[in-house]
């Protein structure tokens, strides 16, 4: 039994993580300010004696320190996420993602706690060498394009994790998540699958940005959580950055068609230019495919869910809420 502390534990991924660690018999404490997370995500965990939660910001340093001190393993999931949010709230994105990680690492290092930092495939930026491998060069756009501030903030988080490992021997690992999806993900901050599913279930237009030829590999949140569970006992991951993702690739236009078909919807696909959907000059990534060689060298990893399985889960979870 370990004491697991999850920042952002009421968020989409953090809450699935909390649930899984509890199922495995661990003790879980979470800290979340509910800025993008939701109390509904942890409602079903509240009765569990091994679960505790605090609704507060990670910038409450005395509280953060106390919660870190009381834990064995830290998953730092609290962050501003979602391309839409990054564009509309750039100041908080950078403050949360850079300063937030800095203080988590500072207190974790005082006690040498096993620490995991959630990073993102966004870090690969405009890289075009497919699949994306951890040692690839990073190619970002100019600072005038807000989107890249997120990639940059996550890259700084990774640098900090590696620096704390090098200088203070902090057992830290950053994991780059590729398009993680599943029940409880909200479309409010731009994520494509909950947006498409909600639109299709309401027979409203399914809005494809650009020409829809851009593609992504979506991974079920349960597969991400399984990988994280295995990583806590995998010392080989200490002092590294590692991709977590699926290799099942689909274009966004095909995704829209699939969602319409699976929901039996009367929706039409509507193409919206990026300039209108996001902001003038918005740059999207054409393809994003993970190389999971490093991960497979550390843990036994094979995603259990296909995109079709995951879409069914998301459809079933959104349908009753409409
Ligand atoms: N997208 C879309 N319609 C939407 C939301 C997103 O066509 O309503 C596209 C978006 O431009 C991107 C892809 O779907 O090419 C995935 O977007 P998401 O924000 O889910 O993740 P990203 O890979 O951009 O981080």
């Amino acid at each position: 039994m370990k004491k697991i502390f999850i920042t952002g534990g009421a968020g989409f991924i953090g809450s699935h993580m909390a649930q899984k660690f509890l199922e495995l018999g661990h003790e879980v404490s979470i800290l979340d300010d509910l800025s993008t997370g939701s109390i509904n995500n942890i409602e079903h965990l509240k009765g569990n004696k091994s679960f505790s939660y605090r609704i507060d910001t990670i910038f409450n340093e005395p509280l953060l320190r106390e919660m870190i001190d009381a834990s064995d393993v830290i998953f730092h999931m609290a962050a501003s996420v979602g391309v839409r949010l990054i564009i509309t709230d750039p100041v908080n994105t950078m403050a949360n993602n850079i300063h937030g990680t800095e203080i988590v690492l500072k207190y974790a290092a005082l006690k040498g706690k096993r620490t995991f930092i959630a990073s993102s495939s966004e870090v690969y930026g405009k890289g075009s060498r497919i699949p994306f491998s951890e040692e690839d060069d990073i190619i970002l756009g100019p600072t005038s394009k807000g989107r890249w501030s997120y990639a940059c903030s996550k890259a700084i988080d990774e640098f900090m994790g590696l620096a704390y490992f090098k200088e203070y021997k902090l057992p830290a690992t950053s994991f780059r998540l590729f398009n993680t999806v599943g029940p409880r993900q909200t479309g409010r901050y731009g994520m494509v699958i909950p947006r498409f599913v909600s639109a299709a279930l309401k027979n409203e237009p399914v809005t494809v940005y650009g020409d829809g030829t851009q593609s992504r590999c979506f991974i079920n949140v349960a597969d991400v959580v399984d990988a994280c569970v295995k990583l806590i006992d995998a010392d080989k991951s200490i002092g590294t950055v590692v991709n977590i993702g699926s290799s099942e690739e689909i274009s966004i236009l095909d995704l829209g068609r699939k969602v319409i078909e699976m929901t039996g919807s009367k929706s039409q696909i509507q193409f919206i230019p990026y300039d209108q959907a996001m902001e003038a000059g918005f740059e999207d990534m054409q393809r994003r495919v993970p190389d999971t060689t490093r991960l497979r060298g550390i843990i036994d990893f094979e995603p259990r869910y296909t995109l079709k399985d995951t879409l069914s889960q998301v459809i079933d979870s959104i349908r009753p809420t409409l």
Side-chain angles (χ1 to χ4, degrees):
M1 194 278 291
K2 288 197 168 74
K3 291 178 181 167
I4 315 275
F5 171 47
I6 307 172
T7 71
F12 159 54
I13 303 174
S15 64
H16 282 277
M17 212 173 241
Q19 184 176 329
K20 184 71 185 186
F21 280 120
L22 288 168
E23 281 166 16
L24 293 171
H26 297 290
E27 250 177 49
V28 174
S29 62
I30 70 161
L31 176 61
D32 201 301
D33 66 358
L34 302 183
S35 53
T36 56
S38 162
I39 201 79
N40 294 331
N41 289 344
I42 54 164
E43 208 59 57
H44 61 300
L45 306 178
K46 283 185 182 170
N48 192 316
K49 282 199 197 67
S50 301
F51 178 69
S52 60
Y53 69 99
R54 295 293 296 263
I55 303 304
D56 209 325
T57 144
I58 48 171
F59 298 112
N60 180 343
E61 290 196 36
L63 175 64
L64 178 75
R65 184 174 185 170
E66 190 183 305
M67 295 185 84
I68 286 177
D69 285 354
S71 66
D72 303 315
V73 181
I74 301 151
F75 277 92
H76 177 43
M77 308 301 292
S80 297
V81 287
V83 172
R84 187 167 292 278
L85 182 64
I86 272 95
I87 287 170
T88 53
D89 196 5
V91 172
N92 273 320
T93 296
M94 284 180 276
N96 288 337
N97 294 4
I98 299 174
H99 186 48
T101 303
E102 193 180 1
I103 56 178
V104 167
L105 287 169
K106 180 173 86 177
Y107 294 118
L110 290 177
K111 300 283 167 71
K113 304 282 179 173
R114 183 74 175 102
T115 306
F116 291 89
I117 302 162
S119 184
S120 165
S121 58
E122 186 83 9
V123 166
Y124 289 103
K126 301 200 247 190
S128 57
R129 216 175 74 173
I130 298 289
F132 290 164
S133 173
E134 293 87 345
E135 298 304 316
D136 286 349
D137 288 343
I138 286 172
I139 305 161
L140 301 183
T143 49
S144 55
K145 308 240 161 103
R147 171 179 201 150
W148 304 114
S149 66
Y150 177 68
C152 220
S153 71
K154 283 291 170 186
I156 294 281
D157 288 354
E158 293 183 8
F159 276 126
M160 284 195 289
L162 293 167
Y164 270 85
F165 169 67
K166 194 173 167 203
E167 235 180 297
Y168 302 114
K169 305 272 176 296
L170 178 73
T173 303
S174 296
F175 51 90
R176 290 182 180 165
L177 296 177
F178 282 69
N179 294 80
T180 304
V181 292
R184 293 187 212 140
Q185 186 177 40
T186 161
R188 211 174 307 141
Y189 310 108
M191 279 70 165
V192 68
I193 287 189
R195 289 171 72 83
F196 279 10
V197 169
S198 298
L201 288 172
K202 291 191 266 185
N203 294 311
E204 291 173 356
V206 166
T207 55
V208 169
Y209 302 160
D211 63 7
T213 58
Q214 73 273 30
S215 66
R216 296 291 184 270
C217 297
F218 294 95
I219 181 165
N220 192 297
V221 65
D223 287 320
V224 165
V225 169
D226 282 351
C228 291
V229 166
K230 289 178 185 163
L231 281 173
I232 65 171
D233 295 316
D235 287 352
K236 256 174 105 177
S237 70
I238 291 174
T240 67
V241 172
V242 63
N243 287 339
I244 303 181
S246 151
S247 54
E248 188 184 346
E249 188 177 2
I250 187 167
S251 75
I252 298 303
L253 177 56
D254 284 346
L255 176 72
R257 291 183 178 132
K258 203 171 178 115
V259 167
I260 290 172
E261 183 202 307
M262 286 181 68
T263 48
S265 169
K266 295 187 184 65
S267 295
Q268 301 288 319
I269 302 268
Q270 185 186 352
F271 292 94
I272 302 187
Y274 286 116
D275 285 8
Q276 272 174 40
M278 294 298 188
E279 62 178 357
F282 179 81
E283 295 180 311
D284 201 4
M285 253 72 76
Q286 190 58 23
R287 285 183 76 192
R288 204 185 239 172
V289 182
D291 180 341
T292 53
T293 310
R294 181 177 287 177
L295 182 64
R296 286 167 205 271
I298 299 172
I299 59 166
D300 174 26
F301 173 75
E302 193 55 58
R304 282 183 293 149
Y305 299 96
T306 62
L307 176 62
K308 198 164 174 228
D309 300 331
T310 305
L311 287 175
S312 306
Q313 288 178 7
V314 173
I315 293 166
D316 290 347
S317 70
I318 293 182
R319 201 189 293 273
T321 65
L322 297 175

